[in-house]
Amino acid sequence: MKALSQKRRHPLAVLALLVMALLLTGGLYAVATTTNEAKAETTTYSAQDIEEGQKLFLANCSTCHGLNAEGTEAGPSLIGVGAASVDFQVGTGRMPMQMQGPQAQVKPEQFNEEQTKQLAGYVASLGAGPAIPEDEYLDVTKGDSANGAKVFLANCAMCHNAAGAGGALTRGKYAPSLMGVDEAHIYEAMQTGPQNMPVFNDANITPEEKRDVITYIKALDNNTDPGGFNLGSLGPVSEGLMIWSIGLAVVIGFTVWLTSRSA
Amino acid sequence: MSSTTDYEYQPRTRSGRIANFVDTRAGVSPMVKEFGRKIFPDHWTFMFGEVALYSFVILLLSGTFLAFWFDPTMTSLEYHGSYVPMQGVEMSGAYASTLNISFDIRGGLFLRQLHHWSALMFVMALSVHMLRVFFTGAFRRPRELNWVVGCVLFLLAIVAGFSGYSLPDDVLSGNGLRIADAMLKAIPVVGTYMSMFMFGGEFPGLAIIGRMYIAHVLIIPALILIMIVVHLFMVVVHKHTQYPGPGRTENNVVGFPVGPVYAAKAGGFFFIVFGILALLAGTTTINAIWNYGPYDPSPVQAGSQPDFYMGFPDGALRLMPGSWPFSWEFTIFGWVLPMAILLPLIPIALLFVAMFAYPWIERWVTKDNRVHNVLDRPRNAPFRTAIGAAAVTFYAVQMMAASSDLIATHFHVGLNDVTYWLRAAYFLGPILAFIIARRMCLALQRKDREIVLHGRESGRIQALPHGEFVEVHEPLDEYKRYRLVDFEDYQVQPARANAKGKVTGMEKMRGRLSRWYFEDRVAPVTPQELEAAHGHHDDHEAVGAGSHKAQLDK
């Protein structure tokens, strides 16, 4: 112990302390997040969660959604929207909204998982609504991508594009790209119909079919693009741009080269 | 060289004997003599027709391969190939075989992509070639008919592309067919019958893929081939045009003979085009049909667009207001006229008629019926360049409108706003393009005049003994000057009375058009002007605006 205290003014002492502090906070954070994940599997919320959630709600959401989530002119009522809505809207960073506009934009999440869960618990306590999906329905190894493709092409591709690349809706609204979206968020979007999306309830698309759809979207996501660069999976427009820009430029380059040694 | 001797050539080597055997039977040497000595002027803008031709050859080669495996049937079957997300899905034989070509036939996906990229290259090269011909005035006498043949080829290329795009029977191609069906049905009186004949009953039926297939692999390629032969034959008859330059006249062609250098260049160019297309096909996805799924008439997917050459009718339909400010549907004698579809197609039809007729329109307005083998630089025909720019803009606005949804998502603007802006551009764009292109041409011509009269600005400033500063202008050499002064100086041809002494309404219109074409013009520098400019060269440090005006008004 004496040896250690004697070295406390060593030039590297600060560095050593810093490394130790980083390791400690990192380790604590890792423990904390894993415990969070473990808790997220259960759909019950403790009274403390709900209380914390209400505090967060009052500080961050009540300006638009009202002090009791009853809704104002600036935002809808959240009574009965369920935990799934909160997990989607807050978990993807759409809420709190960056700005008023045709629809909420995706941005880096403002709350961590714990806080999102507390908010979800508070909103779920206001009235019955769709809960966060169980892991069973998010497991793509259990899904059938062929059936998923069928459901996807019949229900989703009109707005989200056949390859899930997204598409335009009227007056500045749009269907976002589905690439890189978390399984739970895809499920919750189908179930709650966020922004301009219609609701696909369990009678419409069963939880198993929702899992198939997620499986298909993940298959598209992990697709190795058998044909090479996919040009954004946007179809003939990007192909046309390709041929009129790079294709034409290369051809012109060669024609100029071929005729440069003229008479 | 004497043609009347009985002397028969006796080859001494083995290969000589073989060559002589073939020559004396097939008569090759007269052909080589004729074609091998054809002169082709060298200019990079003359090579787009070649690119189109080579793309067509590649299309034939890759298409033949695809035809070995493609099954043009619409009977449904269950897919069991190696593309997992489609396994067990019911689909037509056409779609299943296209999936097989893409995933189970060795090299199939590469050749499918090669075929599709070549199709885009074919239509693009053809379009660029047509623009070159138009803007340089190469369609003038004696080449009016060849222009018409070229226009027919352009239409055939579009039909060929569209019929091929429709074959895989995926959702995207089915949507395209549905729009074509709607356009057919919109034609008054005969439309419904034509649609029924085409599809063998109600859309989609079970006949269309087989019919499209025969059209795509036999009828249209055969027509294209015939038209290419006619086109090239006329190029040989007319000889190639050339840009103005020293020693180039209406009665000669300055360039290289086909044999041997030019033939080698052209042959090599084929492989270059093949290489570009193979590189594209090997690295870049085109028409990922596996994403779209088998055709089903109910869904239309986001981002459904035709290939670029069919973009303009699609865009025209997108620009047309739906039911606002009133319903565009009229009923006359029990026939329904769906104007929401018919109306936007009328300007397109007129554009195509004008395209075919343009050589005659210009001949009528200019009263110029002379043979033109020397091309115009686009700036030296401001009226024509401006008309072309307006037409291209009109076409491009509609083509852009076909991608309005992607413009909206990728530039973060509202879809409706894109449509409103493009509607404005549909009407104002061509007018603006006309004015801007014409002004640019006139300005470039004035610049040319200035360079001819006063030489190039060298950037060197001299102080004269009395304190004046002047910039030294370097005079042009004769060859460069020739290119700048040798162009057709069209004048306004006012309306004239005919043999009966009457000025007809038609003639009055022609007179007005002629004035519209040529009232603003810049005349080429005359030798006298050049002499005068050189005579007191030292006095000019800059060109007075007044002297320019005088030249303009002449």
Side-chain angles (χ1 to χ4, degrees):
Chain A
M1 221 42 202
K2 199 181 172 200
L4 199 65
S5 68
Q6 271 177 347
K7 282 186 182 141
R8 69 185 191 277
R9 297 198 195 279
H10 192 272
L12 286 177
V14 178
L15 201 68
L17 267 178
L18 201 65
V19 169
M20 279 195 287
L22 279 173
L23 279 174
L24 188 71
T25 45
L28 277 177
Y29 180 79
V31 171
T33 47
T34 45
T35 47
N36 276 350
E37 266 177 24
K39 275 185 198 165
E41 282 173 9
T42 62
T43 43
T44 53
Y45 301 98
S46 66
Q48 200 203 343
D49 280 342
I50 294 170
E51 197 184 317
E52 290 295 320
Q54 187 174 18
K55 281 183 198 160
L56 285 170
F57 182 88
L58 287 173
N60 295 286
C61 320
S62 57
T63 316
C64 301
H65 290 292
L67 289 170
N68 301 308
E70 75 277 19
T72 69
E73 275 181 25
S77 160
L78 298 184
I79 296 165
V81 299
S85 279
V86 180
D87 193 52
F88 177 85
Q89 302 279 8
V90 178
T92 59
R94 285 181 169 83
M95 289 286 159
M97 220 169 166
Q98 183 169 292
M99 58 175 183
Q100 288 289 349
Q103 75 187 46
Q105 313 261 332
V106 173
K107 65 175 195 312
E109 302 95 276
Q110 197 164 326
F111 299 109
N112 62 27
E113 280 187 47
E114 163 112 50
Q115 291 166 320
T116 307
K117 191 191 143 222
Q118 289 165 345
L119 273 171
Y122 169 66
V123 171
S125 74
L126 298 172
I132 292 170
E134 287 160 40
D135 280 350
E136 184 197 343
Y137 297 119
L138 305 176
D139 187 358
V140 294
T141 56
K142 292 180 189 159
D144 172 6
S145 69
N147 187 48
K150 213 189 274 179
V151 177
F152 181 86
L153 291 171
N155 294 287
C156 318
M158 297 75 191
C159 301
H160 287 286
N161 167 306
L169 303 173
T170 53
R171 304 209 177 273
K173 294 173 280 196
Y174 62 93
S177 165
L178 302 177
M179 297 301 102
V181 181
D182 187 64
E183 286 88 345
H185 292 150
I186 299 175
Y187 190 102
E188 287 157 358
M190 285 188 273
Q191 203 170 29
T192 63
Q195 323 295 342
N196 299 291
M197 185 165 159
V199 172
F200 295 94
N201 61 29
D202 287 352
N204 195 334
I205 297 178
T206 64
E208 286 76 19
E209 283 177 330
K210 287 195 176 86
R211 182 174 60 198
D212 295 345
V213 169
I214 295 169
T215 309
Y216 177 63
I217 292 172
K218 288 294 150 192
L220 283 178
D221 218 347
N222 303 325
N223 199 341
T224 48
D225 286 319
F229 302 127
N230 61 23
L231 302 176
S233 295
L234 296 173
V237 171
S238 47
E239 292 154 13
L241 269 180
M242 178 82 183
I243 199 81
W244 275 96
S245 54
I246 294 174
L248 184 60
V250 172
V251 167
I252 287 179
F254 276 110
T255 57
V256 171
W257 175 61
L258 275 174
T259 52
S260 62
R261 287 171 185 276
S262 193
Chain B
M1 284 297 122
S2 59
S3 54
T4 50
T5 54
D6 294 333
Y7 167 74
E8 192 173 341
Y9 172 66
Q10 292 297 333
R12 259 167 276 153
T13 60
R14 189 183 163 83
S15 50
R17 277 196 295 278
I18 295 172
N20 193 49
F21 177 86
V22 175
D23 183 33
T24 49
R25 268 83 180 168
V28 178
S29 56
M31 281 200 292
V32 172
K33 210 162 140 189
E34 174 64 31
F35 287 101
R37 290 180 186 177
K38 283 225 70 79
I39 303 295
F40 276 96
D42 238 357
H43 195 274
W44 65 273
T45 58
F46 293 162
M47 302 188 84
F48 294 108
E50 259 177 83
V51 177
L53 178 67
Y54 299 152
S55 308
F56 183 68
V57 173
I58 298 164
L59 279 168
L60 290 182
L61 294 175
S62 54
T64 308
F65 176 89
L66 296 177
F68 288 147
W69 312 102
F70 181 68
D71 168 24
T73 60
M74 293 176 88
T75 44
S76 52
L77 54 91
E78 212 169 85
Y79 177 73
H80 290 293
S82 48
Y83 185 61
V84 177
M86 286 294 152
Q87 275 169 6
V89 174
E90 208 165 288
M91 56 181 66
S92 66
Y95 187 61
S97 60
T98 314
L99 282 178
N100 278 338
I101 289 171
S102 305
F103 294 108
D104 294 299
I105 310 292
R106 193 174 293 268
L109 183 56
F110 171 74
L111 275 147
R112 232 198 83 222
Q113 299 200 139
L114 180 65
H115 194 68
H116 206 136
W117 281 119
S118 307
L120 294 197
M121 180 69 89
F122 178 54
V123 186
M124 178 186 73
L126 216 150
S127 315
V128 176
H129 176 62
M130 277 183 90
L131 290 175
R132 196 279 295 171
V133 167
F134 181 85
F135 283 115
T136 57
F139 56 81
R140 291 174 296 177
R141 185 175 177 184
R143 296 180 182 79
E144 299 101 322
L145 287 178
N146 220 11
W147 168 260
V148 171
V149 171
C151 292
V152 172
L153 270 170
F154 179 60
L155 289 183
L156 283 173
I158 291 175
V159 177
F162 184 73
S163 60
Y165 164 97
S166 303
L167 286 181
D169 202 26
D170 55 324
V171 172
L172 188 65
S173 73
N175 291 156
L177 268 179
R178 187 47 153 170
I179 295 177
D181 174 52
M183 287 180 184
L184 260 186
K185 281 181 174 150
I187 301 172
V189 188
V190 293
T192 321
Y193 295 95
M194 280 166 67
S195 162
M196 290 281 184
F197 287 139
M198 185 169 152
F199 290 92
E202 266 299 345
F203 177 88
L206 291 171
I208 187 67
I209 297 288
R211 290 177 183 181
M212 281 279 192
Y213 182 65
I214 287 300
H216 183 73
V217 303
L218 183 71
I219 302 171
I220 301 165
L223 287 175
I224 290 180
L225 213 55
I226 292 169
M227 284 296 155
I228 288 178
V229 169
V230 174
H231 199 69
L232 293 182
F233 177 74
M234 286 213 253
V235 170
V236 170
V237 170
H238 297 142
K239 300 183 178 62
H240 208 288
T241 51
Q242 55 190 345
Y243 283 104
R248 296 178 185 178
T249 70
E250 298 288 0
N251 302 317
N252 68 5
V253 188
V254 180
F256 277 117
V258 166
V261 176
Y262 201 82
K265 267 191 181 183
F269 193 38
F270 170 76
F271 290 103
I272 287 173
V273 172
F274 208 150
I276 295 169
L277 288 171
L279 195 67
L280 260 177
T283 57
T284 314
T285 310
I286 187 161
N287 197 13
I289 49 120
W290 52 89
N291 282 338
Y292 301 119
Y295 183 57
D296 166 357
S298 60
V300 177
Q301 295 154 350
S304 287
Q305 264 96 8
D307 277 342
F308 78 80
Y309 44 82
M310 281 301 279
F312 65 103
D314 191 59
L317 291 181
R318 287 187 188 209
L319 287 181
M320 179 73 196
S323 56
W324 182 89
F326 53 90
S327 168
W328 295 92
E329 214 165 88
F330 304 113
T331 309
I332 297 170
F333 301 121
W335 300 103
V336 178
L337 294 182
M339 295 311 283
I341 292 181
L342 273 182
L343 208 57
L345 295 183
I346 291 169
I348 290 178
L350 290 179
L351 186 71
F352 272 89
V353 171
M355 180 177 84
F356 274 89
Y358 189 77
W360 287 274
I361 296 174
E362 189 176 309
R363 196 177 66 157
W364 173 62
V365 174
T366 58
K367 287 194 159 184
D368 176 11
N369 198 21
R370 289 165 301 168
V371 168
H372 290 280
N373 291 321
V374 176
L375 298 171
D376 281 332
R377 296 167 81 208
R379 69 181 61 170
N380 289 332
F383 58 96
R384 186 195 300 134
T385 306
I387 288 174
V392 168
T393 307
F394 185 65
Y395 177 92
V397 166
Q398 296 178 67
M399 193 163 99
M400 271 175 77
S403 53
S404 56
D405 54 331
L406 292 175
I407 295 174
T409 50
H410 284 72
F411 294 98
H412 300 285
V413 286
L415 177 61
N416 300 54
D417 299 329
V418 175
T419 307
Y420 301 149
W421 278 99
L422 286 175
R423 274 180 194 157
Y426 179 86
F427 292 104
L428 300 178
I431 297 171
L432 276 177
F434 184 91
I435 295 168
I436 292 170
R438 187 181 170 107
R439 284 294 128 196
M440 277 171 71
C441 288
L442 290 170
L444 284 169
Q445 280 187 295
R446 288 196 193 103
K447 189 199 84 179
D448 282 354
R449 265 190 81 92
E450 150 119 24
I451 290 174
V452 170
L453 288 175
H454 305 289
R456 281 182 202 287
E457 294 171 352
S458 64
R460 277 183 289 127
I461 307 291
Q462 270 182 350
L464 300 183
H466 57 274
E468 187 188 357
F469 286 91
V470 293
E471 182 175 6
V472 178
H473 286 227
E474 282 170 355
L476 279 186
D477 69 66
E478 265 181 285
Y479 293 94
K480 282 191 178 136
R481 194 199 306 138
Y482 193 98
R483 284 177 212 276
L484 300 186
V485 298
D486 179 41
F487 62 89
E488 197 65 52
D489 181 26
Y490 285 106
Q491 316 256 346
V492 179
Q493 302 279 339
R496 295 228 172 81
N498 61 12
K500 288 178 191 160
K502 190 171 177 290
V503 183
T504 59
M506 234 2 216
E507 177 67 8
K508 275 181 192 159
M509 195 169 95
R510 194 201 59 72
R512 274 198 296 273
L513 272 175
S514 176
R515 204 169 63 226
W516 183 58
Y517 264 46
F518 301 116
E519 68 184 346
D520 284 341
R521 62 184 190 86
V522 176
V525 177
T526 61
Q528 291 82 358
E529 285 173 325
L530 193 65
E531 192 63 32
H534 281 202
H536 49 264
H537 189 253
D538 293 340
D539 302 345
H540 271 257
E541 77 271 24
V543 186
S547 66
H548 244 292
K549 189 97 172 84
Q551 287 150 0
L552 247 179
D553 294 344
K554 241 170 24 78

